[in-house]
């Protein structure tokens, strides 16, 4: 498969006019031939990588079934997401174990996004900032509990979220820092506590601004601590609901090269308005806003490709938006050998977009889907 006359995404977030050659399921270094398909200046960007979402098309990852994973993975691939690392909710260990086992035994199908990891969002979080998580199942940070779940998952857990101010949190960070990427989440931590968590090995912040104290000139909190540490990446939901456009723009300036766009989508994504559920709690969806019945935002109803488009409409340069939706998340969860750029040797996951960012062609592992 050969293409010419493309604006090809580069690892540094720029675009270069050129071609793309695919052999089997990989991108190759070979130059396209003279009779390659002329793509008339379309953008070529890598398939996206969503490291934090819960579900779509009526299914939740925590349903813990192959049917649910397959439906989720099929929808994601059809919307430009090549690799998924779906998030669990706050549940008891036995429920999380069942979800982990289902994921470990799942076999990817030809039109599915690849299941490359799991994000353990709960239960090691603070009740005061639980958001749409279920307070009944909160649990103190526990390295051995995580390891038991990781064994059930066959090593699929790539992210583990926690509130660093909780008893045992710092010890858990130190214990697990070499085993999984740790992300500060659903927390009341102040600046000093967050700095200590980063010193001990945490390297990410979950859905920045949401479920944490705001950035203040006298109390910079988690946000200020993350800004001060160049090794820390921050997740951002650019769906137009969770974070104001001005703050999205400011975040890309403050965390240059360190933003990870996520969708945080729940089961209503891809469906019509109505009543749904998240983590066992009722959720009402109207447009792209999903809320518990008390008004608490409950994830999003927007897929990652639409979040990326939304970020661009908010004023984020396209190359930066692509890097944040593909390159950065792939690096964060350790799958950048296969995902995140269009370099030779990577899996041939390619989205061809027109000037309005409409999808022209989707290629998944070398096959047009």
């Amino acid at each position: 498969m050969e293409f010419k006359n493309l604006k090809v995404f580069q690892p540094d977030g720029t675009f270069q006019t050129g071609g793309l050659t695919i052999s089997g399921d990989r991108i190759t270094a070979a130059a396209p031939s003279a009779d390659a398909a002329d793509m008339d200046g379309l953008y070529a960007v890598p398939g996206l990588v969503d490291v934090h979402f819960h579900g779509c098309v009526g299914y939740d990852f925590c349903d813990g079934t192959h049917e649910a994973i397959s439906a989720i993975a099929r929808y994601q691939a059809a919307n430009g997401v090549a690799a998924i690392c779906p998030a669990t909710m706050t549940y008891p260990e036995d429920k999380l174990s069942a979800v982990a086992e289902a994921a470990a035994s799942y076999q990817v199908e030809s039109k599915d996004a690849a299941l490359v990891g799991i994000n353990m969002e709960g239960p090691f979080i603070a009740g005061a900032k639980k958001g749409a998580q279920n307070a009944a199942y909160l649990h103190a940070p526990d390295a051995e509990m995580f390891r038991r779940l990781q064994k059930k998952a066959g090593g699929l857990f790539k992210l583990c979220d926690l509130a660093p101010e909780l008893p045992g949190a710092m010890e858990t960070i130190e214990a697990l820092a070499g085993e999984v990427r740790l992300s500060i989440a659903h927390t009341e931590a102040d600046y000093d506590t967050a700095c200590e968590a980063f010193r001990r090995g945490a390297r990410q912040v979950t859905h920045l601004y949401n479920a944490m104290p705001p950035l203040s000139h006298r109390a910079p909190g988690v946000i200020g601590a993350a800004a001060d540490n160049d090794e820390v990446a921050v997740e951002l939901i650019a769906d137009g609901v969770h974070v104001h456009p001005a703050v999205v723009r400011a975040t890309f300036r403050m965390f240059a090269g360190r933003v990870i766009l996520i969708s945080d989508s729940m089961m209503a994504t891809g469906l019509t308005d109505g009543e749904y559920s998240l983590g066992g709690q009722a959720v009402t969806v109207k447009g792209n806003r999903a809320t518990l019945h008390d008004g608490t935002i409950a994830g999003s109803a927007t897929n990652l490709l639409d979040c990326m488009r939304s970020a661009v409409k908010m004023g984020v340069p396209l190359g930066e938006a692509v890097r944040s939706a593909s390159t950065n998340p792939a690096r964060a969860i350790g799958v950048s050998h296969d995902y995140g750029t269009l370099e030779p040797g990577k899996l041939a996951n390619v989205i061809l977009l027109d000037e309005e960012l409409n999808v022209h062609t989707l290629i998944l592992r070398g096959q047009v889907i």
Side-chain angles (χ1 to χ4, degrees):
M1 197 181 303
E2 298 178 318
F3 303 98
K4 63 184 178 183
N5 194 13
L6 288 167
K7 298 185 188 81
V8 182
F9 174 82
Q10 303 298 304
D12 64 357
T14 62
F15 288 89
Q16 183 175 309
T17 299
L20 203 61
T21 303
I22 294 169
S23 178
D25 65 352
R26 300 278 167 175
I27 297 167
T28 76
S33 61
D35 57 355
D38 190 324
M39 304 314 294
D40 197 28
L42 292 174
Y43 290 107
V45 306
L48 308 187
V49 180
D50 200 344
V51 300
H52 187 154
F53 76 100
H54 298 278
C56 50
V57 291
Y59 292 91
D60 191 292
F61 178 64
C62 283
D63 292 344
T65 66
H66 288 179
E67 178 186 6
I69 298 171
S70 179
I72 288 167
R74 186 69 50 91
Y75 171 86
Q76 295 290 356
N79 286 278
V81 179
I84 56 174
C85 179
T88 58
M89 291 291 287
T90 294
Y91 278 118
E93 185 174 352
D94 59 349
K95 169 78 168 176
L96 293 174
S97 292
V99 174
E101 288 176 333
S105 60
Y106 182 71
Q107 298 294 314
V108 66
E109 298 176 18
S110 62
K111 293 186 178 181
D112 291 358
L115 180 65
V116 296
I118 306 171
N119 180 341
M120 186 171 162
E121 188 175 5
F124 305 151
I125 60 175
K129 293 291 184 180
K130 64 181 178 58
Q133 303 280 341
N134 193 328
Y137 304 125
L138 296 177
H139 196 289
D142 184 338
E144 290 310 312
M145 176 180 169
F146 172 82
R147 287 169 175 149
R148 290 192 297 270
L149 290 168
Q150 183 70 297
K151 186 175 181 180
K152 297 279 188 181
L156 269 178
F157 280 103
K158 300 294 173 63
L159 286 162
C160 178
D161 296 4
L162 48 71
E165 73 274 19
L166 297 179
M170 294 299 181
E171 293 78 8
T172 300
I173 292 170
E174 281 201 332
L176 296 178
E179 301 174 25
V180 67
R181 188 173 176 90
L182 294 146
S183 187
I184 293 181
H186 293 273
T187 177
E188 292 187 290
D190 60 15
Y191 175 86
D192 291 335
T193 302
C195 285
E196 180 65 11
F198 297 142
R199 189 188 71 78
R200 297 201 187 204
R203 288 293 177 266
Q204 196 156 307
V205 179
T206 299
H207 44 52
L208 193 72
Y209 307 111
N210 297 107
M212 66 188 62
L215 173 68
S216 163
H217 62 299
R218 291 195 181 95
V222 173
I223 302 162
D228 275 351
N229 191 317
D230 290 341
E231 294 185 315
V232 174
V234 296
E235 299 176 1
L236 189 69
I237 311 170
D239 62 348
V241 174
H242 284 77
V243 183
H244 191 280
V247 179
V248 170
R249 292 189 293 273
T251 303
F252 272 84
R253 291 192 295 269
M254 185 163 54
F255 293 93
R258 295 191 277 143
V259 177
I260 294 173
L261 285 175
I262 62 167
S263 70
D264 201 15
S265 70
M266 48 83 69
M267 65 163 55
T269 305
L271 301 177
T272 58
D273 292 356
E275 293 294 312
Y276 298 92
S277 68
L278 179 66
Q281 300 180 93
V283 175
T284 301
V285 173
K286 292 182 180 178
N288 67 339
R289 181 180 291 270
T291 58
L292 300 183
H293 287 179
D294 65 4
T296 301
I297 293 177
S300 88
T302 307
N303 63 53
L304 184 58
L305 182 57
D306 282 337
C307 285
M308 188 187 85
R309 290 186 180 113
S310 176
V312 173
K313 289 176 183 176
M314 292 174 185
V316 176
L318 175 60
E320 282 305 305
V322 172
R323 188 158 66 152
S324 297
S326 188
T327 313
N328 295 349
R331 185 186 305 119
I333 63 169
V335 297
S336 58
H337 56 288
D338 279 334
Y339 300 92
T341 67
L342 298 176
E343 295 169 285
K346 300 286 182 80
L347 284 170
N349 299 310
V350 186
I351 313 172
L352 301 184
L353 301 168
D354 65 19
E355 289 289 335
E356 286 73 45
L357 305 187
N358 299 308
V359 174
H360 177 280
T361 303
L362 283 175
I363 300 169
L364 182 71
R365 297 184 291 275
Q367 300 296 316
V368 176
I369 64 167

